[in-house]
């Protein structure tokens, strides 16, 4: 497996070959298969290394970049150089010059082969060059539809926390990314990746999907089969409570107002799920999950709605080895007892 430095070296060598009018080798594209989709720092490191890889000076590099862009656009009929295809297009998509990135988007006619390149392609929706963003918004929908789900899922899941959260949202391109997320099959690709991946941006990606009204059909699958206990817990709490929850910001509260000491807590928002909530049988199954986070989530969801089977759930978890689960079971048992006494 290639290291980060090896991949940066491959990108730099390929860019230098492209600027000299030679066809870069395919090694760079193959090596990106071992990079995570959310490796934005690697993308920036490649761009910096590529920008400084030509020792002929900034003006000569700029002229070479302009020439490459003209070839990509097909406007230089007298240039007898290499065809810009394959690895060259993906290198130009990472290029330090906006003309080249725009030209690469126009020349691109194949879906990204790796999740890292898929995320790089989607990130052009938030490119700092306006023409690049415009071309990306028009070209990406068809490329997204043609991208394999196992490639698209990790890329979308990595970008959602960056683009569609309240505190780290993109300044540009978030609406375009949301529109692509709503295209048929895209949300399913994301939830499949979240279910099967042992690590990644699951705690923030799933609430974003639920806030947008997506991914709800996959909640039961996630609650039963997700590899990550945190993701199972999030899906279980939503199913048992019957509503999705996400954070929309922070609110300030006073700890000691005369002394000017304040704290902050997350500001949460909710949306009722369209489907039916978890049944008693499902909740009791979740209560036997090997993860304490999932068992705690069952009680948290049940304490919000206080269903008739709350007492049976509390009895199962009353002797749980984790104190946080036992404490919630005590509260659940008290509420169930009060509800029974009122009904008599």
């Amino acid at each position: 497996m290639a290291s980060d430095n090896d991949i940066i070296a491959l990108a730099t060598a390929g860019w230098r070959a492209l600027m000299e009018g030679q066809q870069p080798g395919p090694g760079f594209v193959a090596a990106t298969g071992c990079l995570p989709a959310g490796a934005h720092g690697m993308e920036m490191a490649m761009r910096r290394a590529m920008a400084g890889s030509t020792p002929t000076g900034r003006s000569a590099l700029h002229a070479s970049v302009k020439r490459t862009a003209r070839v990509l656009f097909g406007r230089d009929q007298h240039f007898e150089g290499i065809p810009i295809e394959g690895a060259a297009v993906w290198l130009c998509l990472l290029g330090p010059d906006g003309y080249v990135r725009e030209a690469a988007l126009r020349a691109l006619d194949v879906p990204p082969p790796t999740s890292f390149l898929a995320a790089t392609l989607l990130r052009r929706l938030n490119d700092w060059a306006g023409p690049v963003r415009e071309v990306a918004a028009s070209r990406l929908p068809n490329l997204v539809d043609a991208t394999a789900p196992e490639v698209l899922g990790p890329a979308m899941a990595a970008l959602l926390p960056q683009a569609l959260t309240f505190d780290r949202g993109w300044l540009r391109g978030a609406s375009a990314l949301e529109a692509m997320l709503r295209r048929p099959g895209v949300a399913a690709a994301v939830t499949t990746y979240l279910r099967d991946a042992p690590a990644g941006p699951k705690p923030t990606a799933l609430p974003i999907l639920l806030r947008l009204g997506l991914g709800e059909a996959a909640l039961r699958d996630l609650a039963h089969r997700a590899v990550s206990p945190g993701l199972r817990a999030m899906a279980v709490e939503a199913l048992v409570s019957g509503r999705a929850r996400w954070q929309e910001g922070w609110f300030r509260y006073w700890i000691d107002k005369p002394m000017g000491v304040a704290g902050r807590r997350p500001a949460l928002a909710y949306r009722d799920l369209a489907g039916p909530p978890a049944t008693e049988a499902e909740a009791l199954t979740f209560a036997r999950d090997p993860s304490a986070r999932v068992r705690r989530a069952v009680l948290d969801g049940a304490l919000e709605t206080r269903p008739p089977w709350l007492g049976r759930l509390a009895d199962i978890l009353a002797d749980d080895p984790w104190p946080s689960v036992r404490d919630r079971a005590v509260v659940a048992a008290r509420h169930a007892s009060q509800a029974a006494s009122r009904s008599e």
Side-chain angles (χ1 to χ4, degrees), residues 21 67 117 137 180 191 200 222 240 275 298-299 309 325 334 336 341:
R67 181 197 66 189
L117 293 177
M180 291 180 195
T191 55
L222 294 174
V240 175
V298 178
L299 287 169
W309 38 264
V325 179
R334 183 168 65 246
S341 63

Side-chain angles (χ1 to χ4, degrees), residues 37 40 43 90 93 105 108 112 114-127 132-133 136-137 139-145 147-148 151-160 162-163 170 172-174 176-181 183 186 190:
H40 189 207
E43 180 183 330
W90 299 112
L93 193 67
L105 284 170
L108 193 60
T114 66
S115 295
F116 173 80
L117 293 177
T120 299
L121 181 62
L122 289 168
R123 219 174 261 118
R124 301 287 66 79
L125 293 169
N126 193 40
D127 199 279
V132 179
R133 296 196 301 271
R139 295 278 294 143
L140 259 61
N142 291 335
L143 292 172
V144 164
D145 291 343
T147 304
V151 172
L152 183 63
M156 276 286 187
L159 291 185
L160 291 184
Q162 300 175 17
W170 286 1
R172 311 160 294 258
L177 183 69
E178 181 178 335
M180 291 180 195
L181 187 63
R183 297 179 74 86
V186 177
V190 177

Side-chain angles (χ1 to χ4, degrees), residues 4-77:
D4 291 358
N5 291 333
D6 293 337
I7 298 174
I8 292 175
L10 285 170
T12 305
W15 179 258
R16 188 182 299 114
L18 187 63
M19 293 297 101
E20 294 173 355
Q22 301 173 11
Q23 180 71 43
F28 162 73
V29 174
T32 59
C34 67
L35 289 175
H40 189 207
M42 273 293 294
E43 180 183 330
M44 301 302 295
M46 290 180 198
R47 186 171 292 119
R48 287 193 298 268
M50 289 157 64
S53 65
T54 304
T56 54
R58 182 175 179 82
S59 59
L61 174 61
H62 189 66
S64 181
V65 164
K66 295 285 189 180
R67 181 197 66 189
T68 304
R70 287 199 302 271
V71 175
L72 282 166
F73 276 122
R75 295 176 181 171
D76 193 345
Q77 301 298 326

Side-chain angles (χ1 to χ4, degrees), residues 24 70 86 90 138 179-180 186 188 196 203 236 240 253 266-267 290-291 312 316 318 341:
R70 287 199 302 271
W90 299 112
S138 63
M180 291 180 195
V186 177
D196 297 336
V236 163
V240 175
Y253 69 96
S291 171
R312 289 188 288 276
I316 291 176
S341 63

Side-chain angles (χ1 to χ4, degrees), residues 19 31 79 87 111 153 182 185 187 198 201 217 248:
M19 293 297 101
F79 180 75
R182 295 183 182 277
E248 285 199 337

